[in-house]
Amino acid sequence: PRSRVWSEPSVIDAAALEFKETENILLAAEHICGPYVWGRYDMLVLPPSFPYGGMENPCLAFVSDTTLAADRPFAPVVAHEVALSWMGNLITNATWEDFWMNAGFAVFVERKIISRVFGRNKADIKASMGHERLKAAIAHLGKDHPFTKLHIDMDNVDPDDSFSDIPYEKGYAFLCYLEKLVGGPSVFEPFLQTHVQRFQYGMVDIKEWKNFFSCILQG
């Protein structure tokens, strides 16, 4: 297998159960984004002191043991980390102003994976919950706050200060809009593979991507 789980002995059985769909998740992601280029997709289960649910790294993703539960409610966490193997590791935002191009694309691919592997209902629930987080983040900042934009002016701004659910969920919503605008998944998913082929092993910014999008999908 191209995926293994590494953990302390006390949680290895729970981790193996939680992440048993990893190969199916990888296959679904490849159908959407193209070949997985990193070879291995192993996961290292870290203790609760690890401050994130997961962290994408080529070949070895970090996941928190707080994602382990008997009824496997966090299994889709792997879908997000797998999506970042393309939309983050293989293609990286050129600047922090373009962070949504990692975050939004990853969530967009993640929910397509979830729909394929775990069912459309679960993907729709994730999208609904994400939309509520987006509304809460905008309400917290104020609807006219510059950090509610997808493309933020980061001059004299600490990137940590601008971090929120907005680049993830607003980015996802924007890509859903574009997908519908150009004719649906049958048009947009092949474009995603073209996007990966064009920008893989490099960086992308919104100006370059906008020109690329217009050229490929609008002729």
Side-chain angles (χ1 to χ4, degrees):
R2 55 179 165 174
S3 181
R4 290 187 173 91
V5 176
W6 302 84
S7 76
E8 296 174 287
S10 61
V11 298
I12 190 65
D13 290 338
L17 175 64
E18 187 74 28
F19 305 129
K20 69 177 183 178
E21 298 287 356
T22 299
E23 178 60 25
N24 289 334
I25 289 171
L26 284 166
L27 290 171
E30 287 182 314
H31 187 262
I32 298 161
C33 298
Y36 178 75
V37 303
W38 304 106
R40 302 292 310 165
Y41 188 83
D42 288 356
M43 289 168 287
L44 176 63
V45 180
L46 295 171
S49 58
F50 181 61
Y52 306 103
M55 180 59 66
E56 74 281 4
N57 303 294
C59 306
L60 184 65
F62 293 172
V63 291
S64 169
D65 71 357
T66 59
T67 63
L68 306 180
D71 57 352
R72 304 178 63 241
F74 300 110
V77 168
V78 177
H80 184 75
E81 303 310 318
V82 165
L84 284 162
S85 296
W86 285 267
M87 307 303 177
N89 293 340
L90 191 58
I91 304 171
T92 302
N93 49 293
T95 71
W96 284 113
E97 294 178 342
D98 302 301
F99 176 64
W100 80 271
M101 301 195 73
N102 273 25
F105 272 80
V107 172
F108 186 72
V109 172
E110 167 205 338
R111 289 180 183 153
K112 285 183 173 290
I113 294 169
I114 290 171
S115 183
R116 284 165 163 80
V117 178
F118 300 100
R120 176 66 182 271
N121 286 346
K122 188 174 285 289
D124 287 347
I125 290 169
K126 293 279 288 185
S128 179
M129 293 170 64
H131 186 65
E132 292 303 312
R133 291 195 301 272
L134 173 61
K135 290 195 296 183
I138 292 173
H140 174 72
L141 289 169
K143 64 182 179 65
D144 296 322
H145 195 287
F147 291 171
T148 64
K149 298 177 182 179
L150 277 182
H151 188 74
I152 299 172
D153 182 359
M154 298 298 290
D155 189 33
N156 295 318
V157 174
D158 185 331
D160 278 348
D161 293 340
S162 67
F163 186 81
S164 73
D165 283 308
I166 291 171
Y168 294 87
E169 297 299 340
K170 195 170 186 178
Y172 165 76
F174 179 58
L175 291 170
C176 287
Y177 164 75
L178 290 181
E179 181 176 68
K180 184 176 181 180
L181 184 69
V182 302
S186 64
V187 177
F188 201 74
E189 289 185 8
F191 166 75
L192 282 178
Q193 294 200 18
T194 305
H195 163 83
V196 171
Q197 293 164 8
R198 167 62 181 83
F199 295 107
Q200 62 185 343
Y201 304 111
M203 298 180 294
V204 61
D205 63 40
I206 187 58
K207 182 178 180 180
E208 184 178 14
W209 188 81
K210 181 180 177 181
N211 291 335
F212 172 73
F213 175 85
S214 299
C215 179
I216 298 297
L217 288 180
Q218 296 181 326

